[in-house]
Amino acid sequence: MKQKSVQTERSRNRLKSWLVLNLVLLSVVAVLSMTYPVEELSRRLDDIYFRLRRPLPTSNTVALVLIDDDSLSRYGRWPWPRALLARLIRATTAQRPAAIGLDILLSEAEGTRNDDDLTRAIKEAGNVVLATKVGSAQPRLWLDPLPVFIASSAGLGHVQAVEDADGICRSVPVRELSVEGPRWALALEVARVAKRVTLEERSGGLWLGANRVWSDGPAQNTRAPGWVSYSPDFLTINFREQYFPGQPRPPFVVVSAADLLSGKQAPAVGKKAVLLGFGATELSDRLPTPVSGQMPMPGVEVHANLVDGLLQGRDLRHLDVLPQVCFLIFFCLISTWLVLRSPGWNGVLLQTGLLLISYAGGYWVFVHAHRIAAFGPILCAGVLAVPLAQLENLIMVNRGLTRGLTQLRETIHGGQAPAEFASFRPVEPTPESTSDLQWRVDLINQLQAELGSLYAFRHHLLESLNEGLAVFAAGRILFRNHAWEMFCRKQGWDPEVRLGDFGRLLGHPNWADVEERLKESGLPLESEIYLGGGFWQIRCTPLDSNSAAEAAQWLVVVTDLKSRLERDQARADALRFVTHEL
């Protein structure tokens, strides 16, 4: 009963230590998660998902018309005359696209004739969405197209892209504010025109017709008489692989502007949302992205990826805070449990495996659910769990060692030590070394020397006895002397026999279930048995344990009574002879 209570107390202490370790680990990870290195680590690990994903089939909803190097070499350097741009829009309209997103700024007037021609081309198409962006010159805050172009277009969208602290574009603002009101992203306007639906905010979110547009950010609007405030929210781009000429399976149908201007047909563009913009290497409209190689991605292709995700329902966003926190807590609990259960290199390998499984799970969520989980805090928790667990073990060992040595010193100074330790005088710690390891090391060395000499003496003493001795704990043998080995071999038994098997081999009813009897009664057991042509006395005595947590130990003594009887018989015969003579 006492042993069970000790085990219960030990389990309770282990559970308490485990929970404290997780609390410390979560606190450290929470602080680190707000730092730039961990945020950057999360972004970089999320970028790997795009490269791990196998190339997607060519988009059936979006196409690109690029003003590439061939177009510039045939029709001259940029800027082109507005009349030539009007021809390009008409050639694109002839392919019957669902919408045309013109990723070209038209903020300056060129001439009445050319501007009118472009205005007519935009109006005849009826599905052209124009681009605008925030300017740097005052007093014009926005580089809007000319009013005649806006009036003839199907919509106006901003082309502002967000570059994170590492200079990589991963998202686009849902809206940008202007005096006229919020302006939606170009991709949203192109998707609205292509699907012929409305784009509106309702029910706490943004809706593209009947489909919810998911974004990252609070997306909270506050209205009051005379003013409206907007919280920034962003459209995370679900990038395909970057386009380059000669790809066996390109991400989009790509048509050169030179081909359309020369009268070539492009039936693959029909019924798709077409993004028209720059693809030439000499033009600077390029952005580094998670899938970019040596050459950054053209801005028009960035918006094409976003339109493709909106039209196909693959709009990407980050997981909410609550599921990520729950997963982080679950990961910390599992990782610390594994490290505490398997210390050393086994724990490190298990922790590495757990991190790989978690990252693979995040990749599965990315591919199938189009959600991104921040893996930086998970990686920090996995890396820090091992040293924190080892640190906790060291603290526990230090406390236990200090407590045990302090009790030993107090016991010896109090005169309660065994007689064998009468000559043992522990080192006295000085005030300077009380909190140091030196007095503990000296005390352990003294105790080790004393115990070593005492063990050698007792071992020699037990070996010199003629009686067979064996000490059992939990049914297994801990110690045996030479006489015990001789007794077992004489009977044909294994000297390492278990206590239960030893009782059954004796064949005596008192020893049939010796382990159960000893557990129930705890009393010594003694029997005289004829065995193997000899007469033996078998005694089993309990030994005092040093700790309540240790398993009960039993001393089994085997005495050869045959030689003792012969000696007693010889003494009796000699006594009778002397009596007879007298």
Short mmCIF file of all heavy atoms in Angstrom, two decimals, residues 143-170:
data_model
loop_
_atom_site.label_atom_id
_atom_site.label_comp_id
_atom_site.label_asym_id
_atom_site.label_seq_id
_atom_site.Cartn_x
_atom_site.Cartn_y
_atom_site.Cartn_z
N LEU A 143 -2.53 57.39 -59.95
CA LEU A 143 -2.25 57.44 -61.39
C LEU A 143 -3.41 56.80 -62.13
O LEU A 143 -3.31 55.70 -62.69
CB LEU A 143 -0.93 56.72 -61.69
CG LEU A 143 0.32 57.30 -61.02
CD1 LEU A 143 1.55 56.48 -61.37
CD2 LEU A 143 0.52 58.76 -61.42
N ASP A 144 -4.55 57.49 -62.11
CA ASP A 144 -5.76 56.95 -62.75
C ASP A 144 -5.67 57.10 -64.27
O ASP A 144 -5.03 58.03 -64.80
CB ASP A 144 -6.99 57.70 -62.26
CG ASP A 144 -7.35 57.33 -60.84
OD1 ASP A 144 -6.90 56.26 -60.39
OD2 ASP A 144 -8.08 58.10 -60.19
N PRO A 145 -6.36 56.18 -64.99
CA PRO A 145 -6.50 56.38 -66.43
C PRO A 145 -7.29 57.67 -66.72
O PRO A 145 -7.96 58.23 -65.85
CB PRO A 145 -7.26 55.14 -66.90
CG PRO A 145 -7.09 54.14 -65.81
CD PRO A 145 -6.96 54.93 -64.55
N LEU A 146 -7.21 58.12 -67.94
CA LEU A 146 -7.96 59.31 -68.33
C LEU A 146 -9.46 59.06 -68.11
O LEU A 146 -9.94 57.93 -68.26
CB LEU A 146 -7.70 59.65 -69.80
CG LEU A 146 -6.25 60.02 -70.15
CD1 LEU A 146 -6.13 60.33 -71.64
CD2 LEU A 146 -5.76 61.20 -69.33
N PRO A 147 -10.21 60.10 -67.75
CA PRO A 147 -11.64 59.91 -67.49
C PRO A 147 -12.39 59.26 -68.64
O PRO A 147 -13.32 58.49 -68.41
CB PRO A 147 -12.13 61.34 -67.23
CG PRO A 147 -10.92 62.06 -66.71
CD PRO A 147 -9.76 61.47 -67.46
N VAL A 148 -12.01 59.57 -69.91
CA VAL A 148 -12.72 58.95 -71.04
C VAL A 148 -12.47 57.46 -71.09
O VAL A 148 -13.36 56.68 -71.48
CB VAL A 148 -12.28 59.62 -72.37
CG1 VAL A 148 -12.77 61.05 -72.45
CG2 VAL A 148 -10.76 59.55 -72.55
N PHE A 149 -11.29 57.03 -70.68
CA PHE A 149 -11.00 55.59 -70.64
C PHE A 149 -11.81 54.91 -69.53
O PHE A 149 -12.37 53.83 -69.74
CB PHE A 149 -9.51 55.35 -70.41
CG PHE A 149 -8.63 55.88 -71.50
CD1 PHE A 149 -7.31 56.23 -71.24
CD2 PHE A 149 -9.11 56.02 -72.80
CE1 PHE A 149 -6.49 56.71 -72.25
CE2 PHE A 149 -8.29 56.50 -73.82
CZ PHE A 149 -6.99 56.85 -73.53
N ILE A 150 -11.88 55.56 -68.36
CA ILE A 150 -12.62 54.98 -67.24
C ILE A 150 -14.10 54.85 -67.59
O ILE A 150 -14.75 53.84 -67.30
CB ILE A 150 -12.43 55.84 -65.97
CG1 ILE A 150 -10.96 55.83 -65.53
CG2 ILE A 150 -13.31 55.31 -64.84
CD1 ILE A 150 -10.68 56.72 -64.33
N ALA A 151 -14.65 55.88 -68.26
CA ALA A 151 -16.07 55.86 -68.61
C ALA A 151 -16.39 54.75 -69.60
O ALA A 151 -17.52 54.24 -69.62
CB ALA A 151 -16.48 57.21 -69.18
N SER A 152 -15.44 54.37 -70.42
CA SER A 152 -15.69 53.33 -71.42
C SER A 152 -15.37 51.93 -70.92
O SER A 152 -15.70 50.94 -71.58
CB SER A 152 -14.84 53.61 -72.68
OG SER A 152 -15.12 54.90 -73.22
N SER A 153 -14.72 51.81 -69.77
CA SER A 153 -14.27 50.50 -69.28
C SER A 153 -15.36 49.82 -68.46
O SER A 153 -16.36 50.44 -68.08
CB SER A 153 -13.01 50.66 -68.43
OG SER A 153 -13.32 51.37 -67.23
N ALA A 154 -15.12 48.54 -68.19
CA ALA A 154 -16.04 47.75 -67.36
C ALA A 154 -15.67 47.80 -65.89
O ALA A 154 -16.43 47.30 -65.05
CB ALA A 154 -16.06 46.30 -67.83
N GLY A 155 -14.53 48.37 -65.56
CA GLY A 155 -14.13 48.44 -64.16
C GLY A 155 -12.74 49.02 -64.03
O GLY A 155 -12.00 49.19 -65.02
N LEU A 156 -12.40 49.34 -62.80
CA LEU A 156 -11.10 49.93 -62.49
C LEU A 156 -10.55 49.25 -61.24
O LEU A 156 -11.23 49.18 -60.21
CB LEU A 156 -11.23 51.44 -62.25
CG LEU A 156 -9.95 52.21 -61.90
CD1 LEU A 156 -9.00 52.22 -63.10
CD2 LEU A 156 -10.29 53.63 -61.46
N GLY A 157 -9.34 48.72 -61.30
CA GLY A 157 -8.75 48.03 -60.16
C GLY A 157 -7.31 48.44 -59.93
O GLY A 157 -6.58 48.73 -60.89
N HIS A 158 -6.91 48.45 -58.69
CA HIS A 158 -5.53 48.84 -58.38
C HIS A 158 -4.59 47.67 -58.59
O HIS A 158 -4.98 46.50 -58.48
CB HIS A 158 -5.44 49.37 -56.94
CG HIS A 158 -5.46 48.29 -55.89
ND1 HIS A 158 -4.35 47.55 -55.55
CD2 HIS A 158 -6.46 47.82 -55.11
CE1 HIS A 158 -4.66 46.70 -54.60
NE2 HIS A 158 -5.94 46.83 -54.32
N VAL A 159 -3.35 47.98 -58.89
CA VAL A 159 -2.33 46.95 -59.12
C VAL A 159 -1.23 47.05 -58.07
O VAL A 159 -0.08 46.68 -58.33
CB VAL A 159 -1.74 47.06 -60.53
CG1 VAL A 159 -2.76 46.65 -61.57
CG2 VAL A 159 -1.22 48.47 -60.80
N GLN A 160 -1.56 47.54 -56.87
CA GLN A 160 -0.58 47.60 -55.79
C GLN A 160 -0.26 46.18 -55.31
O GLN A 160 -1.18 45.40 -55.01
CB GLN A 160 -1.12 48.43 -54.63
CG GLN A 160 -1.42 49.87 -54.95
CD GLN A 160 -0.16 50.65 -55.23
OE1 GLN A 160 -0.09 51.34 -56.23
NE2 GLN A 160 0.82 50.53 -54.36
N ALA A 161 0.99 45.87 -55.24
CA ALA A 161 1.42 44.58 -54.70
C ALA A 161 2.17 44.81 -53.40
O ALA A 161 2.81 45.85 -53.21
CB ALA A 161 2.30 43.84 -55.71
N VAL A 162 2.08 43.85 -52.50
CA VAL A 162 2.72 43.96 -51.19
C VAL A 162 4.00 43.13 -51.20
O VAL A 162 3.95 41.93 -51.51
CB VAL A 162 1.77 43.48 -50.07
CG1 VAL A 162 2.50 43.52 -48.73
CG2 VAL A 162 0.53 44.35 -50.04
N GLU A 163 5.09 43.77 -50.89
CA GLU A 163 6.36 43.05 -50.72
C GLU A 163 6.65 42.97 -49.23
O GLU A 163 6.66 43.98 -48.53
CB GLU A 163 7.50 43.76 -51.45
CG GLU A 163 7.34 43.73 -52.96
CD GLU A 163 8.56 44.29 -53.67
OE1 GLU A 163 9.58 44.51 -52.99
OE2 GLU A 163 8.50 44.50 -54.89
N ASP A 164 6.86 41.74 -48.75
CA ASP A 164 7.14 41.55 -47.34
C ASP A 164 8.53 42.07 -46.99
O ASP A 164 9.25 42.61 -47.84
CB ASP A 164 7.02 40.06 -46.98
CG ASP A 164 5.59 39.56 -47.12
OD1 ASP A 164 4.67 40.34 -46.83
OD2 ASP A 164 5.39 38.40 -47.53
N ALA A 165 8.90 41.92 -45.72
CA ALA A 165 10.18 42.46 -45.26
C ALA A 165 11.36 41.87 -46.00
O ALA A 165 12.42 42.48 -46.08
CB ALA A 165 10.32 42.22 -43.76
N ASP A 166 11.20 40.66 -46.55
CA ASP A 166 12.29 40.03 -47.30
C ASP A 166 12.27 40.39 -48.78
O ASP A 166 13.04 39.84 -49.56
CB ASP A 166 12.24 38.51 -47.12
CG ASP A 166 10.89 37.93 -47.52
OD1 ASP A 166 10.00 38.70 -47.90
OD2 ASP A 166 10.73 36.70 -47.43
N GLY A 167 11.34 41.29 -49.19
CA GLY A 167 11.30 41.74 -50.57
C GLY A 167 10.55 40.83 -51.51
O GLY A 167 10.64 41.00 -52.74
N ILE A 168 9.81 39.85 -51.01
CA ILE A 168 9.08 38.89 -51.84
C ILE A 168 7.59 39.23 -51.81
O ILE A 168 7.03 39.51 -50.75
CB ILE A 168 9.33 37.45 -51.35
CG1 ILE A 168 10.80 37.09 -51.54
CG2 ILE A 168 8.46 36.46 -52.10
CD1 ILE A 168 11.16 35.71 -51.06
N CYS A 169 6.97 39.20 -52.97
CA CYS A 169 5.54 39.48 -53.09
C CYS A 169 4.75 38.19 -52.86
O CYS A 169 4.95 37.21 -53.57
CB CYS A 169 5.23 40.05 -54.47
SG CYS A 169 3.48 40.30 -54.78
N ARG A 170 3.88 38.23 -51.87
CA ARG A 170 3.04 37.06 -51.56
C ARG A 170 1.56 37.41 -51.52
O ARG A 170 0.74 36.49 -51.43
CB ARG A 170 3.45 36.46 -50.21
CG ARG A 170 4.89 35.96 -50.15
CD ARG A 170 5.21 35.35 -48.80
NE ARG A 170 6.56 34.82 -48.74
CZ ARG A 170 7.63 35.53 -48.37
NH1 ARG A 170 7.49 36.80 -48.02
NH2 ARG A 170 8.83 34.97 -48.34
#
